[in-house]
């Protein structure tokens, strides 16, 4: 006969009480029923974390619902009655009963939530105010199980997929709860109380400090080992907020003393098995929480005899800290282990440890690694992680390392964010170096200059592009389009201007280049149409990524449209002067194609690594292909006559070159990036010709005038600047609108045609365009 557990007896007694008690509404039930009638939604997460929701002061509905919900915090609500109401037939009452039990901060709600974890009955919606934009509140449907599972997650009971509502609750309820009830070593419970006290913020708000003080005064009464494991259990969350230790939680000295008291053997066992030695139930809490703190502060907890075990666990930086004498050897093993492309952050942490623990030879090694490691254009880079870890370690040779980094010519290619981070680190190390806190990434070149000046290092001068002193008066003509334009091209004889539209079904507009009057409208489905005239001007070709297997051909003389079936392509380009084109396959394959407009014969196919975003430009004479990979900050020059053979790589940008163009005579290339550098490249000599610096250059187009003797680039505010090759301002063009998308010079050099985008929606998306014609001579 199966033995009836204490847990089952309690449930039997509870059900017996429910069946024998008269079905009369209690005062607690009346209160919950009244609250339900006043609540259109509940800010579940905010209530559980005991904080006012965002937007509380801005939207009356939020304030009213929050104030009503506070009725669940009343001390007059009886726990036993709330447990009973969690079995009530009304889903909203069950939900409110759970929240009221949570507010009492007693473990009574845990077995109730276990029971309701598979109750997928809809209840009061979740009022979400985190993304509040307008006056209306956003609500999201939720079930009783959603609320119950969220409560359980707060006490450390996680789910394999908590958002998958049909998935049943996984742990064995009886075993899971019996290990935790009346167990003062249950760290998840103390973690729940800390979340409520801190309101879920790190660092906490001022209003949370009294509750936190009370929490820690209660924690002081715990046994020393329990308290130490508790401090460690929650420590990683403090590090996660900024990467730096924050003394509001506990001072570094207090944390180190408490964790050291657990002993190296216990910490190694925890890193290996997740068990917390000395607790009543050593394996009931998340085995990951606390690892980051131990690894970050390993030098205080371990000695050389522990280094071998730490290396075996792949905790390389901890092993280096445990035995600094073997730091170089452990580094070599770590770099080999983290040799894959996706190990950059781990390599950065290892190198930060070597910079802290090594000698002059090691510093030189670190400096070489710093510039050979990929320094991507977006997100946190290995260099970002390295500098953050270096700041945490406060190495004795930090200033000498920064001198080595500032002395390297590759500093010019370091991402702007990382340049600013490097200077900020030097400021913290050296009191006689200063940098304004307000310096942003747009001024990264100035920061590079400050670093080099501090260490008395010569630098390459970058000329400033000045705003034009004179502007052209007004456009020759201007026309508003009833939609968003994407691309624009001029007919070889200058008579027509073709505009490919962005919006679905926008088609192609063919304008009279002399007046702007629309001469033809080619109806065509597809978004983001790219348009090209063939070199002799007899045909207009256009293509959309959504019509990947077709290139549409419009006969200029007859106005008739046909199409050519091709292999699926993502984008298509046509050279301005020669009957050649360039296809870019969806799988990132670049193909150079002879455009005889009948067979579309493929001359050669160049296969490149897939899953990498690239952009290409074809020179007007079809001889060169410029290729930019978003992972790098260089422009590769390929010879199209030699099946895309790499000729040279242009190096000089510190960010991803976002816009670039060949000159009409195919002898020069211009590029801009988020580093606000405008660089002219000589295609013939394969060298950088000039580098200029501007402001917000990446927000506008770049290109050359028809004679290839001047270049144009963005000149804020709302202007285009035309410059001589030496950077001297010639003139400017003012425009009204949000940004300038495209600039096309006429073949005879007499006109510039510009495309200006307008944005009127809250999202900032442009919904119409204007084409302007400006006379230059």
């Amino acid at each position: 006969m199966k033995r009836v557990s204490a847990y089952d007896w309690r449930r039997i007694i509870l059900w017996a009480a429910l069946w024998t008690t008269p079905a009369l509404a209690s005062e607690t039930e009346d209160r919950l029923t009244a609250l339900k009638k006043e609540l259109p939604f509940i800010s579940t997460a905010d209530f559980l974390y005991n904080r006012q929701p965002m937007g509380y002061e801005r939207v009356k509905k939020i304030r009213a619902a929050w104030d009503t919900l506070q009725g669940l915090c009343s001390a007059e609500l009886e726990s036993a009655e709330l447990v009973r109401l969690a079995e009530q037939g009304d889903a909203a009452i069950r939900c409110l009963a759970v929240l009221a039990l949570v507010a009492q901060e007693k473990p009574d709600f845990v077995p109730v939530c276990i029971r309701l974890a598979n109750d997928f009955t809809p209840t009061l919606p979740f009022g979400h105010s985190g993304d509040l934009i307008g006056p209306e509140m956003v609500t999201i449907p939720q079930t009783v199980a959603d609320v119950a599972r969220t409560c359980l997650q707060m006490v450390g009971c996680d789910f394999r997929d908590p958002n998958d509502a049909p998935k049943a609750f996984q742990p064995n309820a009886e075993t899971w709860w019996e290990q935790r009830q009346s167990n003062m070593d249950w760290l998840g419970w103390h973690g729940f109380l800390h979340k409520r006290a801190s309101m879920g913020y790190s660092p906490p708000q001022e209003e949370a400090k009294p509750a936190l003080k009370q929490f820690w005064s209660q924690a002081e009464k715990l046994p020393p080992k329990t308290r130490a494991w508790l401090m460690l259990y929650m420590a990683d969350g403090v590090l996660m907020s900024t990467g730096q230790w924050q003394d509001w939680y506990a001072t570094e000295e207090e944390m180190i003393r408490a964790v050291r008291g657990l002993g190296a053997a216990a910490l190694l066992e925890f890193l290996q098995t997740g068990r917390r030695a000395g607790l009543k139930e050593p394996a009931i809490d998340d085995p990951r929480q606390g690892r980051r703190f131990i690894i970050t502060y390993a030098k205080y907890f371990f000695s050389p005899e522990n280094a071998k075990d730490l290396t075996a666990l792949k905790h390389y930086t901890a092993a280096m800290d445990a035995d600094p004498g073997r730091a170089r050897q452990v580094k070599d093993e770590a770099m080999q282990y983290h040799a894959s492309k996706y190990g950059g952050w781990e390599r950065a942490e290892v190198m930060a440890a070597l910079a802290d623990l090594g000698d002059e030879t090691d510093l030189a090694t670190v400096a070489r690694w710093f510039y050979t490691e990929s320094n991507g254009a977006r997100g946190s880079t290995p260099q970002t992680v390295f500098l953050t870890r270096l700041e945490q370690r406060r190495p004795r040779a930090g200033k000498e390392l920064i001198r080595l980094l500032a002395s390297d010519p590759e500093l010019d290619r370091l991402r702007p964010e990382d340049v600013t981070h490097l200077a900020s680190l030097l400021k913290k190390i050296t009191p006689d170096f200063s940098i304004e806190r307000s310096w942003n990434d747009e001024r990264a070149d100035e920061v590079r200059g400050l670093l080099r000046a501090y260490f008395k290092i010569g630098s390459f001068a970058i000329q400033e592009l000045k705003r034009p002193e004179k502007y052209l008066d007004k456009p020759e003509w201007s026309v508003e389009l009833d939609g968003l334009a994407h691309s624009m091209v001029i007919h070889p004889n200058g008579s027509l201007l073709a505009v490919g539209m962005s919006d679905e079904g926008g088609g192609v507009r063919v304008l009279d280049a002399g007046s702007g009057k629309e001469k033809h409208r080619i109806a065509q489905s597809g978004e983001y149409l790219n348009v090209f005239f063939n070199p002799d001007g007899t045909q207009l070709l256009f293509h959309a990524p959504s019509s990947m297997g077709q290139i549409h051909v419009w006969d200029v003389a007859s106005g008739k449209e046909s199409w050519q079936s091709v292999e699926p392509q993502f984008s298509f380009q046509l050279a301005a002067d020669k009957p050649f084109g360039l296809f870019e396959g969806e799988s990132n394959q670049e193909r150079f194609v002879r455009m005889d407009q009948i067979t579309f014969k493929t001359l050669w196919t160049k296969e490149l690594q897939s899953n990498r975003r690239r952009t290409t430009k074809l020179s007007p004479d079809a001889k060169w292909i410029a290729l930019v990979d978003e992972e790098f900050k260089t422009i590769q020059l390929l010879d199209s006559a030699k099946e895309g053979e790499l000729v040279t790589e242009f190096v000089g940008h510190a960010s991803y070159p976002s816009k670039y163009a060949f000159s009409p005579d195919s002898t020069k290339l211009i590029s801009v990036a988020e580093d606000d550098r405008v660089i002219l490249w000589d295609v013939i000599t394969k060298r950088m010709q000039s580098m200029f610096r501007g402001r917000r250059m990446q927000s506008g187009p770049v290109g050359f005038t028809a004679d290839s003797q001047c270049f144009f680039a963005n000149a804020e505010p709302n202007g285009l600047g035309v410059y001589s090759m030496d950077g001297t301002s010639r003139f400017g063009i003012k425009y009204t609108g949000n940004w300038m998308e495209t600039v096309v010079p006429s073949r005879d050099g007499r006109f510039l045609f510009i495309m200006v985008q307008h944005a009127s929606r809250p999202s900032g998306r442009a919904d119409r365009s204007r084409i302007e014609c400006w006379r230059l001579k």
Side-chain angles (χ1 to χ4, degrees), residues 592 604 606 618 622-626 636-648 686:
F592 188 69
W604 51 260
K606 186 175 183 64
L618 181 61
K623 179 172 176 54
W624 308 108
I625 299 172
Q636 293 183 340
L637 189 67
L638 312 179
D639 189 333
S640 65
K642 297 180 180 179
E643 300 190 355
E645 177 184 302
L646 177 63
V647 175
T648 191
K686 315 297 186 294

Short mmCIF file of all heavy atoms in Angstrom, two decimals, residues 592 604 606 618 622-626 636-648 686:
data_model
loop_
_atom_site.label_atom_id
_atom_site.label_comp_id
_atom_site.label_asym_id
_atom_site.label_seq_id
_atom_site.Cartn_x
_atom_site.Cartn_y
_atom_site.Cartn_z
N PHE A 592 29.77 37.80 -62.13
CA PHE A 592 29.95 38.86 -63.11
C PHE A 592 29.36 38.34 -64.42
O PHE A 592 29.74 37.27 -64.89
CB PHE A 592 31.43 39.18 -63.28
CG PHE A 592 31.68 40.38 -64.13
CD1 PHE A 592 31.32 41.63 -63.69
CD2 PHE A 592 32.25 40.24 -65.39
CE1 PHE A 592 31.55 42.74 -64.46
CE2 PHE A 592 32.49 41.35 -66.17
CZ PHE A 592 32.14 42.60 -65.70
N TRP A 604 31.74 34.20 -65.40
CA TRP A 604 32.35 33.43 -64.34
C TRP A 604 31.53 33.60 -63.07
O TRP A 604 30.73 34.52 -62.94
CB TRP A 604 33.81 33.80 -64.09
CG TRP A 604 34.11 35.26 -63.91
CD1 TRP A 604 34.61 36.12 -64.84
CD2 TRP A 604 33.93 36.04 -62.72
NE1 TRP A 604 34.75 37.38 -64.33
CE2 TRP A 604 34.34 37.37 -63.01
CE3 TRP A 604 33.47 35.78 -61.45
CZ2 TRP A 604 34.31 38.40 -62.09
CZ3 TRP A 604 33.43 36.81 -60.52
CH2 TRP A 604 33.85 38.10 -60.84
N LYS A 606 31.97 33.64 -58.82
CA LYS A 606 32.90 33.66 -57.68
C LYS A 606 32.13 33.28 -56.42
O LYS A 606 31.20 33.96 -56.02
CB LYS A 606 33.51 35.05 -57.52
CG LYS A 606 34.61 35.11 -56.45
CD LYS A 606 35.26 36.47 -56.42
CE LYS A 606 36.40 36.54 -55.40
NZ LYS A 606 37.51 35.65 -55.74
N LEU A 618 30.07 48.06 -58.97
CA LEU A 618 30.71 47.79 -60.25
C LEU A 618 31.13 49.11 -60.87
O LEU A 618 30.35 50.06 -60.91
CB LEU A 618 29.71 47.07 -61.17
CG LEU A 618 30.17 46.66 -62.56
CD1 LEU A 618 31.34 45.69 -62.48
CD2 LEU A 618 29.02 46.03 -63.32
N ALA A 622 33.22 48.65 -66.05
CA ALA A 622 33.06 47.22 -65.77
C ALA A 622 34.37 46.49 -65.51
O ALA A 622 34.40 45.27 -65.46
CB ALA A 622 32.30 46.53 -66.92
N LYS A 623 35.46 47.21 -65.31
CA LYS A 623 36.75 46.56 -65.06
C LYS A 623 36.91 46.15 -63.61
O LYS A 623 37.54 45.14 -63.31
CB LYS A 623 37.90 47.49 -65.48
CG LYS A 623 39.28 46.89 -65.23
CD LYS A 623 40.38 47.74 -65.81
CE LYS A 623 41.77 47.19 -65.47
NZ LYS A 623 41.94 45.78 -65.86
N TRP A 624 36.36 46.94 -62.68
CA TRP A 624 36.62 46.71 -61.26
C TRP A 624 35.32 46.41 -60.51
O TRP A 624 34.25 46.89 -60.87
CB TRP A 624 37.26 47.95 -60.62
CG TRP A 624 38.46 48.46 -61.34
CD1 TRP A 624 38.55 49.59 -62.08
CD2 TRP A 624 39.74 47.84 -61.38
NE1 TRP A 624 39.81 49.73 -62.59
CE2 TRP A 624 40.57 48.67 -62.17
CE3 TRP A 624 40.28 46.68 -60.83
CZ2 TRP A 624 41.90 48.35 -62.42
CZ3 TRP A 624 41.61 46.38 -61.08
CH2 TRP A 624 42.41 47.21 -61.86
N ILE A 625 35.48 45.63 -59.45
CA ILE A 625 34.41 45.39 -58.49
C ILE A 625 34.95 45.76 -57.11
O ILE A 625 36.02 45.29 -56.71
CB ILE A 625 33.96 43.92 -58.47
CG1 ILE A 625 33.42 43.50 -59.85
CG2 ILE A 625 32.88 43.70 -57.39
CD1 ILE A 625 33.13 42.02 -59.95
N ALA A 626 34.23 46.63 -56.43
CA ALA A 626 34.57 46.95 -55.04
C ALA A 626 33.70 46.11 -54.14
O ALA A 626 32.47 46.07 -54.30
CB ALA A 626 34.35 48.44 -54.77
N GLN A 636 37.77 45.65 -50.71
CA GLN A 636 38.57 44.83 -51.61
C GLN A 636 38.30 45.27 -53.05
O GLN A 636 37.16 45.49 -53.45
CB GLN A 636 38.22 43.35 -51.45
CG GLN A 636 38.61 42.77 -50.11
CD GLN A 636 38.30 41.29 -50.02
OE1 GLN A 636 37.48 40.77 -50.77
NE2 GLN A 636 38.94 40.62 -49.08
N LEU A 637 39.37 45.40 -53.81
CA LEU A 637 39.26 45.74 -55.22
C LEU A 637 39.51 44.47 -56.03
O LEU A 637 40.60 43.88 -55.96
CB LEU A 637 40.28 46.82 -55.59
CG LEU A 637 40.12 47.42 -57.00
CD1 LEU A 637 38.83 48.21 -57.12
CD2 LEU A 637 41.32 48.32 -57.33
N LEU A 638 38.51 44.03 -56.80
CA LEU A 638 38.59 42.81 -57.59
C LEU A 638 38.68 43.15 -59.07
O LEU A 638 38.04 44.11 -59.54
CB LEU A 638 37.36 41.93 -57.34
CG LEU A 638 36.97 41.68 -55.88
CD1 LEU A 638 35.72 40.80 -55.82
CD2 LEU A 638 38.11 41.03 -55.10
N ASP A 639 39.44 42.36 -59.80
CA ASP A 639 39.58 42.55 -61.24
C ASP A 639 38.53 41.68 -61.94
O ASP A 639 38.61 40.46 -61.91
CB ASP A 639 40.99 42.16 -61.68
CG ASP A 639 41.28 42.54 -63.13
OD1 ASP A 639 40.31 42.62 -63.92
OD2 ASP A 639 42.45 42.73 -63.47
N SER A 640 37.55 42.32 -62.57
CA SER A 640 36.46 41.56 -63.18
C SER A 640 36.91 40.81 -64.43
O SER A 640 36.29 39.83 -64.83
CB SER A 640 35.30 42.49 -63.54
OG SER A 640 35.70 43.41 -64.53
N ALA A 641 37.97 41.27 -65.06
CA ALA A 641 38.47 40.58 -66.25
C ALA A 641 39.21 39.30 -65.89
O ALA A 641 39.49 38.47 -66.76
CB ALA A 641 39.39 41.50 -67.05
N LYS A 642 39.56 39.15 -64.61
CA LYS A 642 40.31 37.97 -64.16
C LYS A 642 39.51 37.18 -63.14
O LYS A 642 40.02 36.72 -62.12
CB LYS A 642 41.66 38.39 -63.58
CG LYS A 642 42.56 39.08 -64.60
CD LYS A 642 43.90 39.47 -63.97
CE LYS A 642 44.81 40.15 -65.00
NZ LYS A 642 46.10 40.56 -64.40
N GLU A 643 38.20 37.06 -63.42
CA GLU A 643 37.30 36.24 -62.61
C GLU A 643 37.28 36.66 -61.15
O GLU A 643 37.25 35.83 -60.23
CB GLU A 643 37.65 34.76 -62.73
CG GLU A 643 37.53 34.25 -64.15
CD GLU A 643 37.64 32.74 -64.24
OE1 GLU A 643 37.89 32.11 -63.19
OE2 GLU A 643 37.47 32.21 -65.34
N GLY A 644 37.32 37.99 -60.92
CA GLY A 644 37.19 38.49 -59.56
C GLY A 644 38.44 38.34 -58.73
O GLY A 644 38.36 38.30 -57.49
N GLU A 645 39.57 38.27 -59.37
CA GLU A 645 40.84 38.14 -58.64
C GLU A 645 41.07 39.37 -57.76
O GLU A 645 40.87 40.50 -58.19
CB GLU A 645 41.99 37.98 -59.63
CG GLU A 645 43.37 37.90 -59.00
CD GLU A 645 44.46 37.83 -60.04
OE1 GLU A 645 44.41 36.88 -60.87
OE2 GLU A 645 45.33 38.73 -60.07
N LEU A 646 41.50 39.13 -56.52
CA LEU A 646 41.77 40.22 -55.59
C LEU A 646 43.03 40.96 -56.02
O LEU A 646 44.10 40.36 -56.13
CB LEU A 646 41.94 39.68 -54.16
CG LEU A 646 42.30 40.71 -53.08
CD1 LEU A 646 41.21 41.76 -52.92
CD2 LEU A 646 42.56 40.01 -51.74
N VAL A 647 42.89 42.28 -56.26
CA VAL A 647 44.02 43.09 -56.69
C VAL A 647 44.66 43.80 -55.51
O VAL A 647 45.88 43.80 -55.35
CB VAL A 647 43.56 44.13 -57.74
CG1 VAL A 647 44.70 45.07 -58.12
CG2 VAL A 647 43.01 43.43 -58.97
N THR A 648 43.83 44.40 -54.66
CA THR A 648 44.34 45.09 -53.48
C THR A 648 43.21 45.24 -52.47
O THR A 648 42.04 44.96 -52.77
CB THR A 648 44.91 46.48 -53.84
OG1 THR A 648 45.63 47.00 -52.72
CG2 THR A 648 43.80 47.45 -54.20
N LYS A 686 46.38 52.06 -56.63
CA LYS A 686 45.96 51.15 -55.55
C LYS A 686 46.32 51.69 -54.16
O LYS A 686 46.65 50.94 -53.25
CB LYS A 686 46.58 49.75 -55.71
CG LYS A 686 46.53 49.18 -57.12
CD LYS A 686 45.12 48.98 -57.60
CE LYS A 686 45.09 48.28 -58.95
NZ LYS A 686 45.67 49.05 -60.05
#
